Amino acid sequence: KAGVTQTPRYLIKTRGQQVTLSCSPISGHRSVSWYQQTPGQGLQFLFEYFSETQRNKGNFPGRFSGRQFSNSRSEMNVSTLELGDSALYLCASSLEVWLAGALKGNEQFFGPGTRLTVL
Amino acid sequence: AQSVAQPEDQVNVAEGNPLTVKCTYSVSGNPYLFWYVQYPNRGLQFLLKYITGDNLVKGSYGFEAEFNKSQTSFHLKKPSALVSDSALYFCAVRDDASGSARQLTFGSGTQLTVLP
């Protein structure tokens, strides 16, 4: 089974531009989460999508947005880029496992990430 | 609210020696705990998880972790370290008691260096 794929792997943009990153989850996984990883802030949760709906959102400004398509593929968009947006953006997918009405297993499987550099 | 602490930014161990990477957590309900490893310029790889059951969980590459409810800890261990284990390790928690239970909260990471 193919893993989570992210495109592009590397991206260089200038301040004020916008960028769109893409993520294809593992086949059958309907939950897709996005994280920003920086040396100073570590791994920070951006948002999570499930069946084309945003279920959770982290504490990021409105410049960060996302969406999910019917095939579970997801995109995230950052508008009006700032220098501080330079980071590794990670996408993760998970298969929700329910048992007796409770969510049990949902380990996330991560893609290789997109390295965004804002100049 | 859920949170995770990894008290050590850096852990050094000699090859062949046992290793421990520490993790403590805070949740309102029952914790679901995970360990991930990250190699340079790569995404995170899942190592193991604790959902319920035995307190000692075995995972990939010879790693194991011990869940201790009274100490709210979930330390990662390996009996004999390899140089190839050198990487960044993340502990993560999910609280089953909240509406946002699906969201994982990650620790700050611990850089493990295994010296030859």
Side-chain angles (χ1 to χ4, degrees), chain B residues 8-112:
Chain B
E8 301 159 317
D9 292 335
Q10 174 84 38
V11 170
N12 296 326
V13 64
E15 187 175 29
N17 282 2
L19 69 86
T20 299
V21 182
K22 296 179 181 178
C23 170
T24 59
Y25 66 89
S26 175
V27 294
S28 303
N30 293 313
Y32 296 162
L33 294 152
F34 307 83
W35 274 102
Y36 288 85
V37 60
Q38 186 178 34
Y39 295 96
N41 298 313
R42 303 283 296 276
L44 276 66
Q45 294 178 31
F46 169 74
L47 279 178
L48 51 80
K49 67 179 178 182
Y50 171 83
I51 301 297
T52 187
D54 291 341
N55 290 339
L56 185 63
V57 179
K58 294 189 182 298
S60 306
Y61 313 117
F63 284 94
E64 57 189 30
E66 187 168 10
F67 171 67
N68 187 315
K69 187 172 183 178
S70 63
Q71 297 186 2
T72 61
S73 67
F74 189 56
H75 300 331
L76 181 70
K77 300 182 180 184
K78 187 173 183 181
S80 179
L82 300 172
V83 172
S84 57
D85 293 330
S86 298
L88 186 57
Y89 290 80
F90 289 95
C91 181
V93 69
R94 177 169 67 80
D95 187 345
D96 76 342
S98 70
S100 62
R102 299 169 187 86
Q103 177 182 334
L104 288 181
T105 297
F106 285 85
S108 55
T110 298
Q111 180 66 47
L112 172 68

Side-chain angles (χ1 to χ4, degrees), chain A residues 83-100:
Chain A
L83 294 179
D85 297 333
S86 295
L88 181 67
Y89 289 88
L90 293 166
C91 166
S93 74
S94 65
L95 177 67
E96 298 193 346
V97 178
W98 292 82
L99 188 63

Side-chain angles (χ1 to χ4, degrees), chain A residues 37-104:
Chain A
Q37 186 178 21
T38 59
Q41 300 297 319
L43 270 164
Q44 294 187 283
F45 171 74
L46 280 157
F47 26 66
E48 184 225 357
Y49 287 88
F50 183 85
S51 292
E52 302 179 66
T53 301
Q54 187 181 89
R55 279 200 308 199
N56 285 297
K57 189 177 190 307
N59 189 26
F60 277 81
R63 300 186 297 107
F64 292 81
S65 63
R67 59 177 176 168
Q68 187 180 34
F69 302 94
S70 59
N71 61 357
S72 294
R73 190 177 69 86
S74 178
E75 289 181 347
M76 68 163 281
N77 185 78
V78 188
S79 61
T80 320
L81 284 166
E82 301 177 359
L83 294 179
D85 297 333
S86 295
L88 181 67
Y89 289 88
L90 293 166
C91 166
S93 74
S94 65
L95 177 67
E96 298 193 346
V97 178
W98 292 82
L99 188 63
L103 181 61
K104 293 300 183 184

